[in-house]
Amino acid sequence: MLAKRAENRGQLEFVSLESIVPQEHLLRKIDAAIDFKKIYEFVEDLYCEDNSRPSIDPVVLFKIALIQHIYGIPSLRRTVEEVSMNLAYQWFIGYSLNEAVLHFSTVSYHLNIGPITLR
């Protein structure tokens, strides 16, 4: 007898990205090995404290660029598309399932500042 599976695409479920991303995933290992909070110290003097606009989180920008390089994604446009579809990438950058990923032009503009010299 032919069995047809019912589509449940509209079903609501409670899930946690923490439980979906495997413990042995490469991005988990990277996240555990690197203190990304140090990035804030490196870029602190590049941000204005009183311009009344919310800033783009530099750690998110760095992690998106890191994903692009680790996985060999050829463009930032494609990288941002991949981040919006891949749950492990969203977990890595700290976004929730319902949080909209940055537009690729925003990422491109903010990453196009030239080489950063680490002190």
Side-chain angles (χ1 to χ4, degrees), residues 3 5 11 22-23 25 35 44 47 65 67 76 79 95 99-100 114:
R5 180 165 164 72
Q11 182 176 340
Q23 291 297 318
H25 195 283
D35 181 12
E44 187 175 24
Y47 286 82
I67 288 168
L76 275 173
T79 303
Y95 276 33
E99 196 168 353

Side-chain angles (χ1 to χ4, degrees), residues 12-76:
L12 296 176
E13 295 185 32
F14 290 100
V15 296
S16 166
L17 282 178
E18 192 65 34
S19 65
I20 292 174
V21 179
Q23 291 297 318
E24 66 279 355
H25 195 283
L26 175 62
L27 293 177
R28 275 195 184 272
K29 294 176 182 178
I30 291 170
D31 194 61
I34 298 173
D35 181 12
F36 288 103
K37 292 183 177 135
K38 294 294 275 181
I39 292 173
Y40 296 119
E41 295 174 22
F42 295 134
V43 300
E44 187 175 24
D45 59 336
L46 300 173
Y47 286 82
C48 178
E49 292 185 25
D50 60 355
N51 69 355
S52 72
R53 295 183 309 172
S55 66
I56 305 296
D57 189 336
V59 172
V60 171
L61 294 170
F62 182 83
K63 286 181 175 183
I64 289 173
L66 188 61
I67 288 168
Q68 179 183 13
H69 292 289
I70 288 172
Y71 293 101
I73 305 171
S75 70
L76 275 173

Side-chain angles (χ1 to χ4, degrees), residues 10 12 57 81 85 107 115:
L12 296 176
D57 189 336
E81 287 174 5
M85 292 185 290
V107 178

